[in-house]
Amino acid sequence: PIPIKGFKTYGGSWTVTATGQLTGSAGDGPKLESQLPAFTDGEVSVDLFFADGQAGNAGLIVRLARAGTGADNFDGYEVALDPGRQVLCLGRHRHDFQHIRDVPCEVAVGAWIKLTAKLAGATLEVLVNDRSVTRHDDTAAALLSGTVGLRQWRREARYRNLRVKTGGQEQTLAFEQDVA
């Protein structure tokens, strides 16, 4: 597969359209890790598109660190939408999977959905289309620093408009294939 500029790939197939949309293939947890430096507090958002309601989920990994190829081979919080079950899935990974909760949530098929994670200390708030869906205080087991990534679980998904806001400054991370 052709690499994506500014990202490191851990499994799966990742392609970029001429309009800058990214498609991630189905699989057992392929990941795309941003090469942004680790940060603590901030906000990360991405627009997701599911072509159908098949099983599986896709979304963000926040506070991502120590990533490698393999389903649970990373540290970070998984913030994913599952159109088949109509839920937001929240989990913690420390080279394993620790389920935090599933929250009933409308997950549209055939339309773009904005998924946002707000990070403040040990607290993680998740918004879907700018509406707060869940808030989790992870004081006892918090991951406090890392970068951002994308991940699918057993289904294809499309992404656009990946944005990271830290220290009052926002940047958009463009999806471009590195053909050099």
Side-chain angles (χ1 to χ4, degrees), residues 11-15 22-31 54 57-58 151-159:
S13 174
W14 302 86
T15 56
L22 175 74
T23 300
S25 64
D28 288 342
K31 296 174 284 302
Q54 75 180 34
N57 65 52
R151 180 178 189 259
Q152 298 85 240
W153 180 255
R154 298 189 174 163
R155 67 152 304 120
E156 181 178 283
R158 287 190 290 183
Y159 304 87

Side-chain angles (χ1 to χ4, degrees), residues 39 41-45 117 119 163-171:
F39 59 94
D41 295 346
E43 183 176 308
V44 178
S45 65
L119 309 162
R163 296 167 301 278
V164 177
K165 187 186 301 183
T166 59
Q169 296 194 335
E170 183 174 349
Q171 60 183 314

Side-chain angles (χ1 to χ4, degrees), residues 18-144:
T19 59
Q21 295 178 11
L22 175 74
T23 300
S25 64
D28 288 342
K31 296 174 284 302
L32 192 68
E33 177 186 26
S34 164
Q35 295 303 287
L36 282 178
F39 59 94
T40 53
D41 295 346
E43 183 176 308
V44 178
S45 65
V46 70
D47 297 338
L48 280 164
F49 185 93
F50 298 104
D52 56 48
Q54 75 180 34
N57 65 52
L60 294 165
I61 307 171
V62 294
R63 294 192 172 151
L64 172 60
R66 301 188 320 132
T69 302
D72 297 322
N73 194 8
F74 67 99
D75 293 344
Y77 292 102
E78 178 178 350
V79 180
L81 295 173
D82 184 330
R85 296 187 308 130
Q86 292 290 298
V87 297
L88 166 79
C89 310
L90 183 60
R92 181 187 325 98
H93 291 260
R94 280 196 172 93
H95 285 73
D96 62 1
F97 177 70
Q98 301 162 15
H99 182 257
I100 294 173
R101 73 174 58 100
D102 289 340
V103 180
C105 172
E106 182 181 348
V107 181
V109 171
W112 288 100
I113 305 162
K114 183 179 179 183
L115 178 64
T116 304
K118 292 184 177 184
L119 309 162
T123 302
L124 171 66
E125 181 181 13
V126 181
L127 296 87
V128 176
N129 290 329
D130 297 320
R131 184 179 64 83
S132 182
V133 173
T134 192
R135 183 182 201 97
H136 177 69
D137 184 351
D138 206 28
T139 302
L143 299 166
L144 296 174

